[in-house]
Amino acid sequence: MEPRRTSRTVSDPKVRQVGFFTSQHHHHHHHHLPERSFSEPPLPDPFHTSTSTSSAPVTDVSPSGNLLSPVMILPSRHHSDNLHRLSHRATSPTASFSYFARAVVVRENDDSLLSPGRRGIAVKSPSSVVAASSFPKGGFDLTAVKASSVPASKLTTVSVVNLPPGISEKAGGASVEVQNDRPAKSKPLKQKTSKAERRATQEAQRAAKAAAKAFFNLLLKLAVDLYSLAEGSKTSAAVPGPVNSANTKTAKSPKSPSQKNDAVSVAAAEKKAGDRQLEKDRKKDVPHPRMQYDDQSRVEKAKRRAVVKQTEARNRVELFRHLPQYEHGTQLPDLESKFFQLDPMHPAVYKVGLQYLSGDICGGNARCIAMLQAFQETIRSYSTPPEKSLVRDLTAKISSYVSFLNECRPLSISMGNAIRFLKSTIAKLPLSMSESEAKATLQADIDRFINEKIILADNVIVKHAVTKIRDGDVLLTYGASSAVEMVLLHAHELGKQFRVVVVDSRPKLEGQLLLRRLVGRGLGCTYTHINAVSYIMHEVTRVFLGASSILSNGTVYSRVGTACVAMAAHAFGVPVLVCCEAYKFHERVQLDSICFNELGDPDAISKVHGREEINYLDGSTNSENLQLLNLTYDATPSDYVSIVITDYGMVPPTSVPVIVREYRKEHLWI
Amino acid sequence: MDFQVVVLAGGMSKNLVPLVSKEVPTALLPVANRPVISYVLEHLEQNNLKDLIVVVEGKDAALLVGGWISSAYVDRLHVEVAAVPEDVGTAGAIRAIAHHLTAEDILVVSGDLVSDVPPGAVAAAHRRHGAVVTAMLCSAPVSGPLESGSVGGKDKIKRPGRYDIIGLDPTKQFLLYIATGGEIEKGTRIQKSILRPAGLVEIRSDLMDAHMYAFKRSVLQDVLDRKDAFQSLKQDVLPYLVRSQLHSEALPKGAPLVEENGNEKVSTQNNQAMVSRILANASTPSFHESYELGPNGSASVRRTHKCGAYIASNSKYCVRLNSIQAFMDINRDVIGEANHLSGYSFSAHNNIIHPSAELGSKTTVGPHCMLGEGSQMGDKCSVKRSVIGRHCRIGSNVKIVNSVVMNHVTIADGCSIQGSVICSNVQLQERVSLRDCQVGAGFVVTAGSEYKGESLARKEK
């Protein structure tokens, strides 16, 4: 235990932080690699490429700018960003105005240029409408029907829903709760307020607010009794619009605006506007705070919004209260039964959500790909609703899908990165782009993301990793990582002679699937459970692990048990190679696996699948004294990781933040 | 969600012969004084399925059903009614309206299903597995009036296995075998080719095919086109799909990939293959996928499709009105234990008596009873577990137990009715005693006659 301690103290975060900027420290890190680590590859290319691409080396910001080493690393992105932003701010008013002006010009140009095309579309749509409406009248080409013994029959519409046009758009959707008990007689359709209507009420309320404010001021000037003032405000608020009972609240809300001097308020407003921009920018940089599930009020709020009905599990481990845990087994049937009520949800997204929930899809890459493909599908069938802009509406749509998927199963970090990429791509779409073009670009971009960030990355990883496999090696892997599997298969195809030890753990037993595929391809395998890892580690020469994510301090966030395997390997002096695509890197720093994790189904560990007779915990699972904990991920400290094989080459785990910093831009705006 | 709903309302079922007639097709048979099809339609409406196609056998029946639907559901549902010739079967009915089907998946519901199983669950299971067909299975009903106690009159005992034999895979998510009970007399065969990859087949006879299916449209249409002889979805199409699931001729799987097969790059193809491999590896494979892969993991050309099953939970009610016994059971249950289906609010005595109904002195209407609008009852009558329709005139000293009396029935003094169905406009004269009988519409039972287990109907001219 002792030696491990000391090594940890050496690599404490502060020292590392410095290491990112100067080359000496960087080398210093390389010394920290375990002795058995093989010939170091020629220094990871990220550094070289970074020097070549970086145009203006903003040296004055970098602390060690004067002693620039051969490996030059740009200062952190935040610095440069802030500079950038500041320079913008300096010239702000005019600059922003001119920007708007230009934007308008572009708009006009675009209209004049594109008008023929648009007209074409405009002509097209009514015709399709006509076709659709003629459908029930038998307007179908009956000759097209295959001849069969049965004559084709016409449909006669006997009952049509006639709804006011405003509602008809929405009438189908929105109703999420299942109505179990029906009122006695034919009940009229519940009138749902459409989005437009809601906006109208909001605006009316705002107007009412303003009116109330004005009224307040006026009355003050006339020095009228406060009591009558309050009364008056209420009545006045009710005047300007079809705002109903809800507005009493809004009318009350401007409590004492009268005291405020008008001039001051205006100035404040201006200042605010200036600040807001800044704040917005700042907000973008700050990661969105995660929901803490031990915060009662927020949980309640989230529950009301939730699509998936979630009953909180009762016996939760104290330390993990902040993580969501639900009664498993209740969500799926409930979500399934709501299939038709969730109209705004796209079928493809819904399907993926179901598959997450039921565990049909697991694994970081697969989940990410499935999600991206579902989004592709939604974009394909997307059309901008009238009077909305594609960029905003689509972003909102994607956000709602994401929150749905998050309810089905908490998003993985890789998915978070992919979503960030998609959203920024949408935001970056030029306004002048037509809808079909924009859709095509987005789909192509998603395709490119999948191909470059996942598939190509895996290919590169395989190429690098295979160089580390020698004849006679015994490779150990844990769980079922898609990247590691590809490495093993490829090495086998190259004719390398090696043996694989697949270490597995309950309750998921993912390793068995991997084992089946490996054995199917003719690899020699040993299968064991993680309990035996210290025994089997004697004969192992390399450990290959997959990762769900690698964080900025080099921590490998992966399937629970990985840390244990890595630690055992470290103790035995076996190099640990982590295969992880760079799109899974994250700038977060995490020291433990408590603050962020995912809780699995506690029943899964209390029962043994396929062996009903092991039921010692039956009946006691609901007792107050017993808390079951089924963690999904754990965090492996970087000390136990010899090398990270990623699509930018083989790097020590301490270089992960460099890649995150240097390539994040590219990640986001490919 | 890209689903189209087809309600197969049928025509005049032969099983229900004295009850149904030209004026009353099966779909309009009253269950607790509401046509049976209204249960399906309202159930679908609750589940936000408002765009329906109702297929009725026979022109006249279609007119009747269409008329009723338009009067009851105007402004609530968008219903289109299609008339198909009689005796084309369910498969024929779908064939006839096939050109109206455009959605990706089709939900086919029988019009005589009285159930509260959410159709969304079937559809979701269908989508989740990407199945070709998903059938809803429910527990087979325990038939017969339990408390009548009489041994006599159970002439339907001769068909104990009238429900289906169903084979499921160990996860209970896929259908491996299905046969309707009637077909199995001596024994049955299960293909080894399905048994081997699945490993284990669970044969259940306590489940019933509820005739609510989700079909993949392209496959359904393809099968209907190729197999002209197929008459029934339940007896032909479904068993065919289940039988052929491991050597599928049904769906062209890689179709979307082949389209863009231009001479662009082979690498894109490789990428696609890799993506699909990652996806496939990530999920626990059903036996279909592992069979497709073949024994040694090499990608072979075996093609499979999945036939899903959704098993409704036991707490849900799910019965089909396809026999007279079922008709009586449903009527009993809807005002009894499954009364949330009826949509009526029950009185404190657990029964429904329309405010306009008139009761004589010393007349008792027990719990689980229903008395329709404008009906009159004389003195000293007793009604137990029965449904009485609208505008019936019932004399004194009448006993009605476990029975269904439809509309405009006249029952004279001193009658006793047990376990019987009395259709509309029937006249029972004094002191008639009926036990386990069905009386067809407009029939007149002469005074003092006694019947037991008979079916009485007017002679057709």
Side-chain angles (χ1 to χ4, degrees), chain A residues 513 516-521, chain B residues 196-197 246 285-304:
Chain A
L513 291 172
R516 186 194 156 97
R517 294 193 288 266
L518 292 182
V519 171
R521 294 295 193 86
Chain B
R196 195 176 295 130
L246 289 183
S286 74
F287 68 94
H288 294 98
E289 277 119 25
S290 34
Y291 179 79
E292 224 169 89
L293 275 178
N296 45 11
S298 60
S300 67
V301 284
R302 286 168 170 174
R303 289 206 311 191
T304 61

Side-chain angles (χ1 to χ4, degrees), chain B residues 223-268:
Chain B
V223 170
L224 290 179
D225 280 348
R226 274 191 293 120
K227 310 275 178 181
D228 266 345
F230 280 4
Q231 281 267 311
S232 150
L233 289 180
K234 181 183 168 128
Q235 279 160 22
D236 299 321
V237 177
L238 185 60
Y240 167 75
L241 286 173
V242 169
R243 233 174 18 242
S244 66
Q245 57 183 316
L246 289 183
H247 40 92
S248 168
E249 305 154 13
L251 76 165
K253 243 196 171 172
L257 292 185
V258 182
E259 279 174 18
E260 38 173 344
N261 198 10
N263 43 4
E264 240 191 45
K265 271 182 276 175
V266 193
S267 66
T268 56

Side-chain angles (χ1 to χ4, degrees), chain A residues 41 56 69 108 152 257 280 283 372 379 454 485 508 558 663:
Chain A
S69 54
E108 278 173 3
K280 245 186 197 168
K283 259 185 198 162
L372 286 175
I379 290 172
I454 304 176
E485 182 184 348
K508 285 206 166 171
S558 185
Y663 290 90

Side-chain angles (χ1 to χ4, degrees), chain A residues 503-523:
Chain A
V503 178
D504 206 355
S505 69
R506 285 200 55 234
K508 285 206 166 171
L509 301 178
E510 295 156 314
Q512 293 193 354
L513 291 172
L514 173 71
L515 187 72
R516 186 194 156 97
R517 294 193 288 266
L518 292 182
V519 171
R521 294 295 193 86
L523 278 82

Side-chain angles (χ1 to χ4, degrees), chain A residues 344-362:
Chain A
M345 208 56 65
H346 192 275
V349 176
Y350 185 87
K351 181 178 172 183
V352 170
L354 271 183
Q355 286 172 329
Y356 287 168
L357 191 56
S358 62
D360 283 353
I361 295 184
C362 51

